[in-house]
Amino acid sequence: MTENPSVTTAALELDPAVPVRLLCTVGTPSAMELDTVARLADSGWNIAVRADFDASGIQHMRAALRAVPRARPWRMNANDYVRSLHPTPFQPTALDTERLPETGWDPALHTAMRAQGRPAYEEALLDDLLNDIRRGHP
């Protein structure tokens, strides 16, 4: 599950033989979307959740992980965050560290984000995300 339509668009451009199993919420998921994903998990789907490394993205993750307890973060740890900090293609603004929620799934992520003070976006890890989708992982 991703919040970003650009990840979905890129996934749809993969080899047609690659089965793409990706849900996109186009931003923070609604309660109805989270309920639907929770029901999918309850019926046996393995759910991995991904978002931007900013205050809204972290809120998205927290809401999804709370609503879908069996879900797991997808490339949402401190190392992934640090790897996604680069000057191109984005020139990010300062991260609002006052609004930054805790990251219970990886406390080191919260620490790294506060220390760097910069948001990072899903597109920065797009090659890794597409490779994960090709491999059917996570």
Side-chain angles (χ1 to χ4, degrees):
M1 184 168 94
T2 179
E3 69 170 317
N4 198 318
S6 64
V7 175
T8 304
T9 299
L12 291 173
E13 294 173 359
L14 292 172
D15 179 344
V18 175
V20 175
R21 294 179 181 101
L22 184 66
L23 302 170
C24 181
T25 62
V26 190
T28 301
S30 69
M32 182 182 291
E33 288 170 315
L34 290 175
D35 181 60
T36 300
V37 173
R39 284 186 278 136
L40 291 172
D42 290 343
S43 72
W45 284 42
N46 294 316
I47 306 293
V49 183
R50 158 93 235 152
D52 290 329
F53 292 107
D54 60 9
S56 295
I58 299 303
Q59 282 290 67
H60 163 113
M61 289 294 299
R62 288 167 51 101
L65 295 174
R66 190 172 39 251
V68 188
R70 292 185 36 202
R72 60 183 180 197
W74 175 23
R75 294 196 182 268
M76 286 298 296
N77 64 40
N79 290 334
D80 297 318
Y81 167 70
V82 171
R83 284 186 44 244
S84 66
L85 290 173
H86 55 77
T88 58
F90 303 101
Q91 298 296 324
T93 59
L95 179 66
D96 183 356
T97 57
E98 296 303 315
R99 285 189 44 226
L100 187 64
E102 294 294 326
T103 54
W105 65 92
D106 181 20
L109 173 58
H110 185 264
T111 301
M113 291 177 73
R114 286 185 62 85
Q116 292 293 324
R118 292 173 49 201
Y121 304 101
E122 290 190 85
E123 294 88 349
L125 296 174
L126 189 58
D127 289 340
D128 292 331
L129 300 175
L130 294 175
N131 284 332
D132 290 347
I133 291 167
R134 280 186 197 96
R135 292 188 343 254
H137 174 78

